[in-house]
Amino acid sequence: PNFPSISQMAKNLSQDLVKNVKSVASGNSLNANQPEIDKRRGICNSCEFFAKAQDRCTKCGCYMGVKTYLKASKCPIGKW
């Protein structure tokens, strides 16, 4: 599969981390609840941009086992 460039993945990761840190600093939980994680994973598993063998999104390059767990994280194409 084709993933974004290393620099783009670093940018995506840093933006996602900032969102999650701000969310936690505002008093929100770091992790999503299990039903939300399961819903996100189901959406990813059926997405054309999900590389199952790598458990990664080909749009943002993120590892979805981590990204779907973090409450403030969002799908790069707005599916969740």
Side-chain angles (χ1 to χ4, degrees):
N2 292 322
F3 293 103
S5 68
I6 296 290
S7 61
Q8 184 61 52
M9 286 190 292
K11 179 181 175 183
N12 295 341
L13 176 62
S14 64
Q15 289 173 340
D16 208 49
L17 289 174
V18 167
K19 275 190 260 181
N20 280 282
V21 168
K22 285 182 179 180
S23 178
V24 170
S26 297
N28 296 308
S29 173
L30 176 63
N31 60 302
N33 61 39
Q34 194 60 51
E36 183 66 20
I37 294 167
D38 294 343
K39 178 182 171 188
R40 290 173 173 190
R41 290 297 298 196
I43 292 168
C44 291
N45 285 333
S46 65
C47 181
E48 67 273 22
F49 299 110
F50 182 60
K52 287 186 183 190
Q54 293 84 7
D55 194 36
R56 292 174 61 192
C57 174
T58 61
K59 281 295 188 180
C60 62
C62 293
Y63 288 93
M64 302 317 292
V66 175
K67 189 167 187 168
T68 57
Y69 177 85
L70 299 171
K71 187 173 184 171
S73 294
K74 303 288 181 203
C75 169
I77 58 171
K79 289 189 174 187
W80 51 264

